[in-house]
Each structure stands twice: as structure tokens, then as C-alpha cells.
Amino acid sequence: MTVSLGEEIMLLSLDDDTGAAKGETAARWGVAAGMLLELVMAGRVTVRGGRVEVFDPTPTGDALLDGRLDRLTRWVHETSSSRKVVAWLTRDHAKGSQDVVDSLVARGLVTEEKHRALGVFPVRRYPEADGTVEREPRARLAAAVLEGAEPDARTSALVALVHATGMHPQAFPGLPKKQVDPRMAEIAEGHWVGVSVREAIRNLQAAISAVTVVTVLTAVS
């Protein structure tokens, strides 16, 4: 079963048994960036100079991607004077993450459980239903980062997203950051992807760094 970069990020973040999101905030940014990068790799969107442009609004045939593409196209038309990557990620990260979770539920990869915390607050959890799909991106990450294998373009993109969002604990549980960080940085800056995708990755990394700082400062204040 083929899954998008955004879905892979979400699967990495969800605890297999409890269904709770580990590093939920980081995962949301990673999912939004992953879906955008997926559209870049599909030749529908360009991301350069910190800005987003829709290059080709033609549907891809993937319902999840096409939903993002349609939403992005409408946003671009509404905000013709400012199409910054940061603005798009800020706008889309919450809804995009929920759309991705809904897709995983619909495809039978996770199940949805609802209950009320303290008997009052509604809480949703998404425990694993089919772990075979998640094992594939984990195997790719391990081969590229831990074993030194040369990654393909999709694996390079996934590594870059994990690196940018700080999702090392979710991708490599039990391993210290210093053990995986140098190799992840090397892959994120490497030659394994085309020029347009590499530029998009750098733009997305900068945007994630910016929104993460803003999120931390807002929480502190």
C-alpha cells in the first residue's frame, strides 16, 4: 500500500498501542510540510524563495493529495500578495493533520477510539490496526540513517522532514539524537533529490524552524 509523506509522518508519531500522538505539535508541522512536499514531487507545486506557487492544478488521482491541492489553490488565489510557506503551514497544519488521520482510518491502518478525559473533555486516540505499512518507512529510515545506505528521493524527503521537526525520538526510539543527527543532516542537504525538491526541502526546513520558534515563544508568554 502506497502512503504519502504526510501519512508516514503521522504513522511515526502515533503510539501503536495507545494511539496517542507523541510529539503532536511537531508531527502536525511535519504532516503539513510532508503533504506540500508531496505536491512538489508530483509536479503540482513549487516552493522557492520562501513562497508557494501552484504550478499545475491538475488532480493527481490521490484523494488526500487532491484535497490539499484544491485547498492550496484556493488559498493562493485569495492571497495573491503573500504566499509564504510559513503562512500556508500555519493555516493548514491542524486541518491537514486531521485529514491525514481520517485517511489512515479509512484505509484501515489505524482505528479511531473516542472517550472523555476526566469524564468531560473529548479525546480521540488512533491505535495501530495494520502495522505492515508503518514498518516500511521505518525500514527505509533505518537503512539510510543507521546503516549508511544511499536513500532514494522519497526517503531523503522523509529524513529531511523528521530532521526539521525534531522527530528523532519517534523515528528512532531509544537512540540518542547525537547518534542519528549528523547522518540525517547529511541526507537532508545531500544530492539524493532533484534541484527543485532540494530547494523545497530547504524552504520547508526554514519555515518549520520559524513556526516552531513562534510556537515556543507563544507558549512561554
Side-chain angles (χ1 to χ4, degrees), residues 47-50 193-205:
V47 179
R48 58 170 63 99
V193 294
V195 174
S196 62
V197 175
R198 185 161 61 246
E199 183 176 9
I201 287 174
R202 289 173 178 168
N203 276 257
L204 287 166
Q205 287 177 314

Side-chain angles (χ1 to χ4, degrees), residues 114-205:
K114 301 178 182 179
H115 67 276
R116 291 187 177 275
L118 303 176
V120 177
F121 305 104
V123 175
R124 295 183 183 184
R125 294 288 185 264
Y126 300 94
E128 181 179 82
D130 179 358
T132 58
V133 175
E134 183 184 346
R135 286 197 287 271
E136 194 271 336
R138 286 193 180 277
R140 285 167 29 225
L141 287 171
V145 177
L146 303 180
E147 301 165 17
E150 184 167 318
D152 59 17
R154 292 191 64 80
T155 302
S156 298
L158 180 59
V159 169
L161 291 169
V162 171
H163 182 58
T165 54
M167 289 182 61
H168 310 76
Q170 291 81 16
F172 304 100
L175 295 181
K177 180 178 179 180
K178 64 182 180 180
Q179 183 174 334
V180 296
D181 197 56
R183 175 60 174 166
M184 294 182 75
E186 178 188 6
I187 292 173
E189 292 296 326
H191 62 274
W192 293 274
V193 294
V195 174
S196 62
V197 175
R198 185 161 61 246
E199 183 176 9
I201 287 174
R202 289 173 178 168
N203 276 257
L204 287 166
Q205 287 177 314

Side-chain angles (χ1 to χ4, degrees), residues 7-217:
E7 289 172 305
E8 288 181 336
I9 289 289
M10 184 60 73
L11 285 172
L12 292 175
S13 77
L14 294 174
D15 184 275
D16 294 343
D17 297 322
T18 68
K22 298 174 288 185
E24 184 175 6
T25 299
R28 285 185 175 186
W29 296 118
V31 166
M35 299 306 292
L36 188 57
L37 187 54
E38 193 78 57
L39 290 172
V40 172
M41 297 176 73
R44 300 304 195 272
V45 172
T46 61
V47 179
R48 58 170 63 99
R51 293 169 63 85
V52 181
E53 298 290 345
V54 176
F55 176 73
D56 179 4
T58 306
T60 66
D62 181 288
L64 182 61
L65 281 181
D66 290 340
R68 297 270 70 69
L69 180 58
D70 178 67
R71 180 174 166 83
L72 177 59
T73 301
R74 287 186 280 110
W75 177 76
V76 165
H77 289 160
E78 294 168 0
T79 58
S80 57
S81 61
S82 176
R83 299 167 180 170
K84 294 182 179 180
V85 179
V86 169
W88 170 251
L89 295 183
T90 300
R91 177 186 180 89
D92 193 57
H93 73 288
K95 177 170 174 46
S97 293
Q98 188 59 53
D99 287 349
V100 164
V101 168
D102 290 343
S103 174
L104 294 176
V105 172
R107 300 172 76 177
L109 301 183
V110 300
T111 58
E112 182 180 59
E113 296 180 353
K114 301 178 182 179
H115 67 276
R116 291 187 177 275
L118 303 176
V120 177
F121 305 104
V123 175
R124 295 183 183 184
R125 294 288 185 264
Y126 300 94
E128 181 179 82
D130 179 358
T132 58
V133 175
E134 183 184 346
R135 286 197 287 271
E136 194 271 336
R138 286 193 180 277
R140 285 167 29 225
L141 287 171
V145 177
L146 303 180
E147 301 165 17
E150 184 167 318
D152 59 17
R154 292 191 64 80
T155 302
S156 298
L158 180 59
V159 169
L161 291 169
V162 171
H163 182 58
T165 54
M167 289 182 61
H168 310 76
Q170 291 81 16
F172 304 100
L175 295 181
K177 180 178 179 180
K178 64 182 180 180
Q179 183 174 334
V180 296
D181 197 56
R183 175 60 174 166
M184 294 182 75
E186 178 188 6
I187 292 173
E189 292 296 326
H191 62 274
W192 293 274
V193 294
V195 174
S196 62
V197 175
R198 185 161 61 246
E199 183 176 9
I201 287 174
R202 289 173 178 168
N203 276 257
L204 287 166
Q205 287 177 314
I208 290 171
S209 178
V211 295
T212 300
V213 169
V214 170
T215 300
V216 171
L217 291 176

